[in-house]
Amino acid sequence: MKKANVTVHPEYRIGSVDKRLFGAFLEPIGSWVYGGIYNPKHPTADEMGFRRDIIDAVKELDLPALRFPGGNWVSGWDWKNSIGPLEERKAQLDLAWFQIEPNTIGHDEYMKWAMQVETDPMYTINLGTEDMKSAAHLVEYSRVAGGTYWSELRKKHGQLEPYPIRTWYLGNEMDGHWQIGSWEKDPVGFGIRTHEIAKLVKWIDNEAETVFAGTSDHHRHFPEWEMAALEQCYESVDYISLHHYHTAPEGDIANFLNISSVFEDYIRTTIAVCDYLQTKLRTPKKMYISFDEYGANFGKQGEVLFGRRGWQDVTKSYFQFAPRENSFKKFDPEDYNDRDFGSNQMLKALAMSSVMMTFLRHADRIKIGCMTGGIRDALSFNGSHVWKNASYYPYAQMNKLTRGGISLMPAVDGPTFNTEQFALTGSVQCHAYENVQAIEAAAVMHEEKEELCIFMINRAIADDIEVNLDLRAFEGYELAEHIEMYTNDLEAGNCYDHPDVIKPSLNADTRLENGRVKAIAKKLSWNVIRLSKTR
């Protein structure tokens, strides 16, 4: 059996873990909102039409933070159309996803849903089609106690106290050519605009945090666009927003599970840009990261077109001017568009675990993270039911076991694998990687509780690996449990009728002797090893 050595030491400190590191993202795409969280005809619907089964499941997850209401969708949305009596609200076209937005679920409803599930709301402001005055009115409506037109209007609509919004996202993916009101061709202009709106937000609410919309999916102009825009607003924003959706060729498990290498490149380059600007501007202020959209999927081979540094992609009809049916879909809350949640569940759970461990290994700089599928794929639902997919378990475990802890950097030495370069389209491509560790790990120490949690995945496709964990620096600690999750059938997955096809179990064979843990990490498995100090 192949072997790997992993060393964890209390002095290998990275930084404190922000409780918002494993949050989620919400956008009204398809049946995510209408027919998902909102369905007044559902048996569990409350007086507002929200499904209590989903609310209860999110509360059980103990979701720390939620970024909403978009997403590409928000760049064409007028929040003022969505407040007040339902009969007076204005339906509008959603040019991001070619839908009709009825505004039945509006600003106040989004906020009340977030408050019901007891999560910290993080709000995205439309910087595509809306102006500075609209942004100022939104913050005033939401955060001012009273005495002004917009704050009193909020009270008239039934919310007497200000909404608990601390973090404001200033636009969404504004560098992208697909974005409504894109600033792709004017990064300096967008940086100035961001600076001015960040000033407004903080003048209205001096406790507010603001987030700059950085380059999404590290496109062809990364990092030049980032550097030019962020320089203009560096002193007025607190975070830079990153998004990435990792797509690997169908069946290419090695590239799919090498997701952390791709994220590492993106994160390290962004940190370098931020630190360069800190030096250039001669400021003590350090910029932090909000990685507030991420996911992983397999993709089919498409056409790779040349031009614009090889990154032009005109195959996406909803982002370009390719022929399409000139219609806009209206989603009926009672007509849920069921999706396939069963395919590749274990592999997706490992990929999401890899990303979350990457965030832990950068806990000194990444303070906010929002899994795009956190309350759609991990915590899954259709028009009738809610259940837990495979990704739910590492997501929930890391949420529970990392809060308030100190991230430690494990040293890993074991079997490696290589990946091949690929190009599925002009914008979905990746270079080759060599000597990628099959065992990937992260660790969190809780000093007050005297507890240590080690998270590991085995990315080897065919081999179980014997892991030798060197924990001799944690004198007096005892093994509490080894939780593992794996399946011998990668086509298997959880659903409402069969919710326990993939779930964690205890490995009773793992032992701690003389400060070393010997554990078998099964092929393509998720592992949590928890130790606590004897009292």
Side-chain angles (χ1 to χ4, degrees):
M1 181 180 293
K2 294 183 177 180
K3 298 183 179 182
N5 296 315
V6 179
T7 303
V8 181
H9 196 286
E11 296 303 318
Y12 297 174
R13 298 178 179 226
I14 299 170
S16 60
V17 180
D18 194 298
K19 79 165 192 173
R20 298 173 294 173
L21 192 58
F22 303 123
F25 167 66
L26 177 66
E27 180 178 5
I29 301 175
S31 301
W32 198 348
V33 171
Y34 297 105
I37 68 171
Y38 171 78
N39 182 353
K41 297 295 181 65
H42 193 273
T44 68
D46 64 13
E47 66 279 359
M48 294 184 66
F50 290 132
R51 287 174 51 179
R52 288 261 13 144
D53 60 340
I54 295 178
I55 290 172
D56 291 343
V58 176
K59 289 174 69 175
E60 180 188 351
L61 173 61
D62 193 16
L63 185 70
L66 179 68
R67 172 178 169 257
F68 63 90
N72 295 336
W73 174 89
V74 81
S75 290
W77 184 54
D78 184 347
W79 72 274
K80 294 176 184 177
N81 288 342
S82 78
I83 59 175
L86 286 174
E87 64 273 14
E88 296 179 9
R89 297 187 185 181
K90 300 176 183 178
Q92 61 186 94
L93 294 180
D94 165 22
L95 300 181
W97 305 114
F98 295 107
Q99 306 170 142
I100 294 176
E101 172 53 61
N103 280 315
T104 305
I105 300 302
H107 172 74
D108 293 300
E109 286 79 14
Y110 281 115
M111 286 304 310
K112 288 175 181 177
W113 189 84
M115 292 164 70
Q116 281 198 63
V117 300
E118 300 175 2
T119 190
D120 287 352
M122 304 186 297
Y123 206 97
T124 308
I125 297 175
N126 175 0
L127 294 195
T129 56
E130 292 294 286
D131 58 16
M132 292 177 63
K133 184 179 289 186
S134 174
H137 291 165
L138 172 61
V139 180
E140 181 182 331
Y141 181 91
S142 303
R143 292 295 297 149
V144 173
T148 68
Y149 172 81
W150 291 104
S151 62
E152 292 298 327
L153 185 61
R154 182 197 68 242
K155 291 183 177 182
K156 181 180 178 181
H157 293 159
Q159 179 63 30
L160 299 182
E161 299 298 322
Y163 287 120
I165 307 172
R166 175 189 176 197
T167 306
W168 297 90
Y169 289 82
L170 307 184
N172 175 79
E173 298 182 0
M174 299 310 299
D175 69 302
H177 58 277
W178 59 86
Q179 200 67 213
I180 303 167
S182 170
W183 288 79
E184 176 191 19
K185 299 181 184 301
D186 188 7
V188 171
F190 180 69
I192 294 171
R193 181 179 175 84
T194 298
H195 174 66
E196 294 302 320
I197 293 180
K199 284 162 50 180
L200 278 178
V201 171
K202 292 184 174 184
W203 283 342
I204 296 170
D205 180 4
N206 62 7
E207 296 180 352
E209 296 179 328
T210 54
V211 187
F212 162 73
T215 305
S216 50
D217 264 341
H218 47 104
H219 283 285
R220 63 185 180 275
H221 49 230
F222 176 76
E224 296 94 338
W225 192 95
E226 203 112 2
M227 192 175 301
L230 184 58
E231 182 173 356
Q232 313 306 315
C233 59
Y234 188 95
E235 294 285 10
S236 56
V237 298
D238 304 285
Y239 303 90
I240 180 171
S241 171
L242 302 185
H243 296 174
H244 184 58
Y245 294 96
H246 179 67
T247 303
E250 286 187 324
D252 190 343
I253 296 176
N255 261 310
F256 189 73
L257 295 186
N258 188 37
I259 186 171
S260 59
S261 295
V262 178
F263 274 66
E264 285 279 3
D265 289 347
Y266 187 17
I267 292 165
R268 288 172 178 168
T269 302
T270 300
I271 290 173
V273 167
C274 294
D275 290 351
Y276 164 76
L277 289 174
Q278 180 184 6
T279 302
K280 180 179 180 181
L281 298 173
R282 302 179 186 179
T283 173
K285 179 180 180 179
K286 191 174 292 293
M287 187 63 59
Y288 295 99
I289 292 173
S290 170
F291 213 123
D292 41 82
E293 285 189 40
Y294 63 93
N297 285 289
F298 287 104
K300 296 181 179 180
Q301 183 63 55
E303 184 178 5
V304 181
L305 302 175
F306 297 96
R308 298 182 74 177
R309 302 193 212 175
W311 286 84
Q312 175 134 343
D313 183 8
V314 297
T315 63
K316 304 291 187 181
S317 61
Y318 49 86
F319 289 152
Q320 303 288 346
F321 303 112
R324 66 174 179 83
E325 185 179 344
N326 191 29
S327 63
F328 292 81
K329 183 172 179 57
K330 182 176 181 179
F331 285 90
D332 186 337
E334 298 179 57
D335 183 24
Y336 187 89
N337 181 24
D338 286 320
R339 301 167 59 244
D340 176 18
F341 293 96
S343 60
N344 301 309
Q345 275 194 34
M346 187 65 212
L347 293 176
K348 286 185 178 180
L350 294 175
M352 292 300 93
S353 302
S354 180
V355 174
M356 290 188 288
M357 288 192 292
T358 303
F359 292 171
L360 277 178
R361 295 193 299 268
H362 290 279
D364 58 329
R365 301 299 291 269
I366 304 178
K367 296 301 180 181
I368 302 173
C370 301
M371 187 193 296
T372 299
I375 51 173
R376 183 176 58 169
D377 288 340
L379 177 62
S380 297
F381 53 82
N382 58 20
S384 302
H385 303 296
V386 182
W387 66 93
K388 299 168 182 175
N389 272 356
S391 296
Y392 177 92
Y393 296 103
Y395 186 43
Q397 288 162 351
M398 295 185 86
N399 250 315
K400 177 182 178 181
L401 297 173
T402 64
R403 290 188 197 177
I406 302 294
S407 178
L408 306 177
M409 180 64 77
V412 180
D413 181 22
T416 62
F417 64 94
N418 300 329
T419 65
E420 296 182 356
Q421 66 179 6
F422 66 86
L424 295 181
T425 67
S427 58
V428 179
Q429 44 186 273
C430 186
H431 63 76
Y433 286 85
E434 295 183 348
N435 300 317
V436 180
Q437 290 288 338
I439 294 293
E440 182 178 6
V444 170
M445 173 179 63
H446 296 271
E447 291 182 296
E448 291 186 3
K449 294 192 295 184
E450 296 184 311
E451 183 175 282
L452 174 68
C453 297
I454 299 142
F455 308 98
M456 295 190 304
I457 60 173
N458 179 2
R459 296 184 280 196
I461 298 170
D463 298 310
D464 296 350
I465 296 176
E466 180 183 301
V467 179
N468 176 26
L469 268 171
D470 186 343
L471 306 172
R472 288 174 293 174
F474 292 89
E475 187 176 354
Y477 279 67
E478 298 290 341
L479 179 65
E481 60 185 356
H482 174 190
I483 303 170
E484 62 182 3
M485 187 175 75
Y486 70 98
T487 179
N488 289 321
D489 182 4
L490 292 180
E491 297 300 317
N494 298 344
C495 62
Y496 176 74
D497 293 325
H498 303 283
D500 298 326
V501 174
I502 304 174
K503 66 176 184 178
S505 61
L506 291 175
N507 185 332
D509 296 327
T510 302
R511 294 287 183 268
L512 170 65
E513 295 178 0
N514 300 320
R516 297 178 185 270
V517 170
K518 289 192 180 297
I520 303 299
K522 294 181 173 65
K523 63 182 180 182
L524 300 177
S525 67
W526 160 252
N527 301 267
V528 180
I529 296 177
R530 189 171 63 85
L531 298 94
S532 59
K533 195 167 187 178
T534 55
R535 298 184 185 277

